[in-house]
């Protein structure tokens, strides 16, 4: 005949098992769809990028990088030195650094966004630039501004220190674009920077 002590031990094991099952179910429901998206990204990397047309989220101010399936609104005139302001902007898209050029002006358009160590974290924190390191010179970035499309060719990748703010400024009257995110992904130790030039 089972003792009272055995009954409570078995009851606790049963309750613990139910909690574990519930936790695993929640994880599966939450992350399985995201894992499927990562597989889609891998498949698209092996397909022709010319076939994969991406419609921008808007044409007022938006960024599209087809190679890494980046498609986001650009939030204009964000102070890159005010963390409260730029964290709010980055929750909505990519930030355009205040004081830098706009796509229809000569000078350097400076955009920045979060990076993350993996796809799941990137989705959670709106890390538009989490695959920026997968790009190579010659890849293209499209900016949409006030109804017009501007296409840029990537020219140079740089790993910089956080205090190297000279990349905010362009060189001369050229129309250039600079993309910046934290490096390595998921840290704020350094900065990964891509420089690009407007395609005439």
């Amino acid at each position: 005949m089972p003792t009272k002590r055995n009954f409570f031990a078995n009851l606790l094991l049963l309750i613990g098992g139910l909690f574990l099952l519930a936790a695993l179910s929640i994880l599966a429901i939450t992350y399985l769809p995201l894992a499927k998206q990562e597989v889609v990204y891998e498949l698209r990397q092996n397909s022709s990028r010319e076939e994969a047309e991406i419609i921008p989220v808007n044409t007022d101010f938006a960024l599209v990088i087809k190679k890494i399936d980046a498609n986001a609104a650009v939030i204009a005139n964000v102070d890159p030195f005010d963390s409260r302001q730029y964290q709010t902007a980055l929750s909505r898209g990519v930030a355009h650094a205040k004081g830098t050029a706009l796509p229809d002006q000569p000078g350097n358009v400076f955009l920045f966004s979060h990076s993350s160590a993996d796809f799941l974290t990137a989705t959670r924190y709106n890390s538009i630039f989490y695959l920026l390191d997968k790009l190579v010179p010659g890849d293209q970035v499209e900016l949409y501004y006030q109804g017009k499309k501007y296409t840029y060719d990537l020219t140079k990748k740089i790993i910089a220190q956080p205090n190297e703010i000279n990349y905010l400024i362009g060189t001369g009257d050229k129309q250039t674009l600079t993309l910046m995110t934290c490096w390595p992904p998921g840290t704020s130790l350094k900065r990964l920077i891509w420089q690009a030039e407007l395609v005439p």
Side-chain angles (χ1 to χ4, degrees):
M1 181 172 173
T3 64
K4 208 174 198 183
R5 191 174 189 180
N6 285 342
F7 172 77
F8 283 114
N10 288 336
L11 183 62
L12 287 174
L13 282 173
L14 178 63
I15 291 170
L18 290 173
F19 273 116
L20 180 61
L21 183 61
L24 290 173
S25 299
I26 290 168
L27 285 172
I29 290 167
T30 304
Y31 293 114
L32 191 57
L34 300 177
K36 286 181 184 173
Q37 287 179 21
E38 182 69 12
V39 172
V40 170
Y41 168 75
E42 292 298 334
L43 292 174
R44 290 190 69 172
Q45 283 298 87
N46 295 326
S47 67
S48 169
R49 297 311 297 171
E50 287 73 32
E51 294 173 10
E53 189 59 35
I54 297 177
I55 298 169
V57 294
N58 69 62
T59 57
D60 297 326
F61 203 177
L63 166 139
V64 170
I65 308 174
K66 290 180 183 176
K67 184 173 180 180
I68 60 172
D69 290 330
N71 185 8
V74 177
I75 313 306
N77 298 315
V78 177
D79 186 344
F81 304 106
D82 181 343
S83 65
R84 282 195 312 180
Q85 189 180 129
Y86 69 68
Q87 291 295 356
T88 300
L90 293 178
S91 70
R92 295 163 42 215
V94 173
H96 162 257
K98 184 178 182 180
T100 68
L102 291 165
D104 63 346
Q105 301 171 339
N108 186 49
V109 180
F110 190 94
L111 305 180
F112 59 103
S113 182
H114 286 308
S115 69
S116 295
D118 58 60
F119 180 79
L120 298 178
T121 312
T123 303
R124 182 177 174 190
Y125 292 106
N126 199 33
S127 305
I128 309 299
F129 286 171
Y130 98 103
L131 291 173
L132 215 58
D133 67 310
K134 305 298 182 194
L135 300 174
V136 296
D139 285 338
Q140 292 193 328
V141 176
E142 296 172 355
L143 287 185
Y144 292 81
Y145 183 68
Q146 294 186 348
K148 186 176 175 185
K149 181 169 92 169
Y150 298 81
T151 303
Y152 299 81
D153 280 338
L154 294 176
T155 56
K156 188 177 182 182
K157 180 166 78 169
I158 300 158
I159 303 297
Q161 297 299 325
N163 60 354
E164 294 182 65
I165 59 171
N166 52 304
Y167 294 106
L168 285 163
I169 304 163
T171 53
D173 291 332
K174 275 186 174 181
Q175 285 181 277
T176 59
L177 168 68
T178 300
L179 306 176
M180 186 194 79
T181 194
C182 293
W183 185 260
T187 75
S188 58
L189 297 174
K190 294 186 179 180
R191 302 292 181 265
L192 186 152
I193 293 169
W194 268 109
Q195 294 177 325
E197 293 183 0
L198 185 68
V199 176

